[in-house]
Amino acid sequence: MAVSTGQERGLFIGGEVVEAASGEVRDLLEPATGEPLARAAMGGEADVDRAVAAAREALDGPWGRTPPNERSRLLHALADAIAANRKELAELESRNVGKAISSVKAEVGGAVENFRFFASVLGSIAGRANPVGGSLQTYSIKEPVGVCAQIVPWNYPLLMSVWKLSPALAAGCSVVLKPDPQTPLTVLRIAELAAEVGFPAGAINVVPGDGPTTGSYLVRHPGVDKVAFTGSTRTGSEIMRLASEPLKRLTLELGGKSPNIVFADADLDDAIPSSVWSIYYAAGQSCEARSRVLVEKPLYDEFVSRFAAYAKQLKVGDPLDPETQVGSLISTAHRERVHGFVEKGREEGAEVVVGGELPDGKGAFYAPTVLAGVDNAMTVAQEEIFGPVVAAIPFEDEKDAVRIANDVRYGLFATVWTGDPARGHRVARAIKSGMVGINMPFTAFPGIPFGGYKQSGFGRELSIDTLELYLETKGVLFSVSPKPFNPFGL
Ligand code: NAD
């Protein structure tokens, strides 16, 4: 096998592209066409062993000796390299995931900014020094946690990898990253770019492979000090169990069923198009997709009909067309699952206002779908559908809105639309989620902590707090007394 041509991708271990020990190579299909896109090597246990050993060697060697200012320079250089290769990366991601290129371009821009953010804030890594009392003094130092296993899903393979790599590398950790086997292409390219700009061998290793085998082995690996996972809540629970022996540090970024709350006093010309975007970008395959639209009762019918009219207008199609707003889902198998939820909604009494049909033809497309008359107890209001399907739920008043918003097991994001600023902040306080947006649809920016409450996980991405999750704090104690301690009075 030619391991890294445009069409054939190897694993990335110890600074180079390598074949999988088993020789396994898998065909990757383009979700929007069903046609072959590339072939990628799939790693197994022997490859994880190799990658963890390379990561440890880097930490004990050149990468571990790289001072913070040089780490910062390397992170900026990688940001520059991503910016210089943004066209190639965007097209690769769009074709591999099926997602509209307009969104993917913004994601590549976000990746660049994310590396820059952590390149800057790593200068803030510092311990403290305090006199404790008497002759006793102490200082603390920050050290990288060590070798990090990072596992990411298929919905934002490039961005989720960058969200994880950037704080880990800023803190001085080395990484073995396992992308989803369907979507390894862009992070493999980023690992190559990292090597080109001078990251030492073994600082970044990428081993695509199946979750229950390769991923599980990586999580349990005794050479791994920390596991950072993004994916479903079900897999997150399993990872927490697997990471407990031997015990590892853990962060989990999991699923969501985020509410988009629209009060009758909101500016509807702003709230409605933004609410449409908040569910349908990335074809609804976003953890923080506002998949439940909660609307104050007097406004409900008007809101649903205006929302549905916009949903119908969205341009669904070729992900590489710059005009496309909604691309393909990741696979026809996933589309079956999404459609199954819509059918379940119908059975439980929801009205399908637009969409909700399985289309003919090539690709895994699914039309933006609106379910009205939804009660929050229905399956479509409780379960993460992870597709372009919104559940519109009426509410009575502010108290009822907060009750419904919180009445799910998840707590990732919420958006509130209101003309009353005090109400916006009051509701933001009352909602049990890691993030709340007031009168704006956007969710993720470098510098703003991103993560969940409840079953949406724990730990935060994107912020200065994230650095702490990749650092250990060591306390050093000493005495300035000229007299030695003699605790036994010997
Ligand atoms: P998933 O949990 O099925 O898979 C995620 C990753 O885990 C993949 O790389 C997979 O191969 C791996 N995996 C699966 N089983 C494993 C195991 N037993 N041991 C180790 N690794 C294993 O999730 P998915 O369907 O690929 O992704 C969609 C989910 O991700 C949604 O629930 C979405 O909300 C969530 N997500 C969360 C965030 C966030 O920041 N909170 C961001 C993006 C996606």
Side-chain angles (χ1 to χ4, degrees):
M1 171 176 95
V3 282
S4 193
T5 67
Q7 304 305 320
E8 302 238 351
R9 294 277 160 187
L11 316 174
F12 194 86
I13 298 178
E16 48 183 19
V17 178
V18 295
E19 293 185 29
S22 69
E24 185 186 352
V25 180
R26 219 173 273 176
D27 289 324
L28 305 180
L29 301 182
E30 221 169 306
T33 60
E35 301 293 329
L37 171 63
R39 287 163 55 72
M42 291 292 139
E45 295 187 358
D47 305 301
V48 170
D49 286 339
R50 263 197 299 173
V52 172
R56 179 66 60 193
E57 218 172 290
L59 208 56
D60 293 342
W63 179 236
R65 288 194 296 272
T66 304
N69 59 345
E70 177 62 7
R71 294 207 302 272
S72 174
R73 194 195 63 75
L74 285 168
L75 286 167
H76 274 303
L78 183 51
D80 292 340
I82 293 173
N85 291 276
R86 61 186 177 278
K87 258 192 91 188
E88 177 204 342
L89 285 165
E91 186 176 322
L92 202 54
E93 183 86 339
S94 178
R95 294 182 68 183
N96 196 182
V97 187
K99 239 191 299 183
I101 190 102
S102 53
S103 321
V104 175
K105 280 183 181 162
E107 289 162 29
V108 176
V112 172
E113 290 313 313
N114 212 65
F115 275 118
R116 295 212 188 288
F117 174 78
F118 282 103
S120 307
V121 299
L122 74 81
S124 71
I125 297 173
R128 295 168 190 265
N130 296 98
V132 174
S135 69
L136 195 56
Q137 292 208 2
T138 178
Y139 63 88
S140 62
I141 42 181
K142 298 283 182 181
E143 294 175 352
V145 163
V147 173
C148 298
Q150 303 190 320
I151 299 184
V152 295
W154 50 258
N155 65 334
Y156 290 84
L158 180 142
L159 203 58
M160 292 302 101
S161 300
V162 169
W163 283 16
K164 296 225 173 310
L165 285 170
S166 49
L169 297 168
C173 295
S174 55
V175 173
V176 178
L177 188 141
K178 192 204 80 62
D180 188 278
Q182 300 168 96
T183 52
L185 299 178
T186 43
V187 68
L188 284 166
R189 184 72 187 111
I190 284 178
E192 284 176 5
L193 291 173
E196 281 168 25
V197 301
F199 274 87
I204 303 173
N205 306 276
V206 180
V207 182
D210 289 322
T213 50
T214 308
S216 152
Y217 184 75
L218 174 61
V219 173
R220 288 180 281 126
H221 203 290
V224 165
D225 301 295
K226 177 193 164 85
V227 176
F229 171 76
T230 296
S232 64
T233 298
R234 198 163 64 157
T235 309
S237 301
E238 169 70 356
I239 300 254
M240 192 160 179
R241 196 178 65 75
L242 295 173
S244 66
E245 220 171 314
L247 189 137
K248 302 178 179 75
R249 278 104 191 94
L250 180 65
T251 46
L252 298 174
E253 297 289 344
L254 309 176
K257 193 73 193 175
S258 299
N260 182 82
I261 306 170
V262 187
F263 287 98
D265 61 7
D267 174 350
L268 292 191
D269 292 339
D270 194 8
I272 298 176
S274 284
S275 303
V276 169
W277 180 85
S278 300
I279 171 66
Y280 298 125
Y281 71 95
Q285 303 167 117
S286 292
C287 53
E288 84 283 18
R290 270 48 54 78
S291 51
R292 290 183 300 149
V293 176
L294 279 45
V295 188
E296 196 163 0
K297 267 195 180 148
L299 191 68
Y300 186 79
D301 290 341
E302 181 197 343
F303 183 94
V304 169
S305 87
R306 286 176 63 184
F307 185 104
Y310 279 127
K312 221 171 169 171
Q313 268 175 34
L314 292 175
K315 192 159 185 291
V316 181
D318 177 6
L320 293 177
D321 180 343
E323 300 294 312
T324 294
Q325 290 159 314
V326 180
S328 160
L329 302 192
I330 186 69
S331 62
T332 48
H334 182 59
R335 181 175 66 177
E336 290 292 332
R337 188 176 167 273
V338 168
H339 187 61
F341 275 112
V342 173
E343 293 291 282
K344 182 83 184 158
R346 275 197 180 100
E347 272 168 38
E348 291 184 353
E351 180 201 348
V352 181
V353 182
V354 284
E357 300 301 329
L358 269 180
D360 298 327
K362 282 205 293 188
F365 296 98
Y366 198 77
T369 297
V370 178
L371 303 179
V374 175
D375 181 279
N376 199 55
M378 290 181 187
T379 308
V380 288
Q382 291 291 321
E383 297 295 325
E384 189 179 37
I385 299 175
F386 225 55
V389 180
V390 81
I393 304 169
F395 68 82
E396 295 286 349
D397 54 19
E398 185 177 317
K399 198 166 159 228
D400 197 34
V402 169
R403 178 190 66 76
I404 297 172
N406 286 335
D407 185 21
V408 285
R409 65 189 172 123
Y410 299 110
L412 192 58
F413 206 96
T415 302
V416 185
W417 297 95
T418 175
D420 174 352
R423 166 142 72 186
H425 294 284
R426 200 162 57 233
V427 171
R429 275 203 210 176
I431 290 195
K432 303 271 181 276
S433 67
M435 295 160 287
V436 183
I438 302 173
N439 291 335
M440 64 93 87
F442 302 121
T443 57
F445 298 92
I448 302 175
F450 187 103
Y453 279 25
K454 304 197 288 186
Q455 300 297 299
S456 291
F458 49 83
R460 292 292 178 270
E461 308 264 33
L462 285 177
S463 85
I464 199 161
D465 312 309
T466 312
L467 276 180
E468 284 298 324
L469 304 172
Y470 288 93
L471 293 165
E472 293 282 14
T473 305
K474 179 181 283 172
V476 180
L477 298 91
F478 62 100
S479 166
V480 294
S481 165
K483 227 175 125 222
F485 286 122
N486 186 355
F488 273 143
L490 302 173

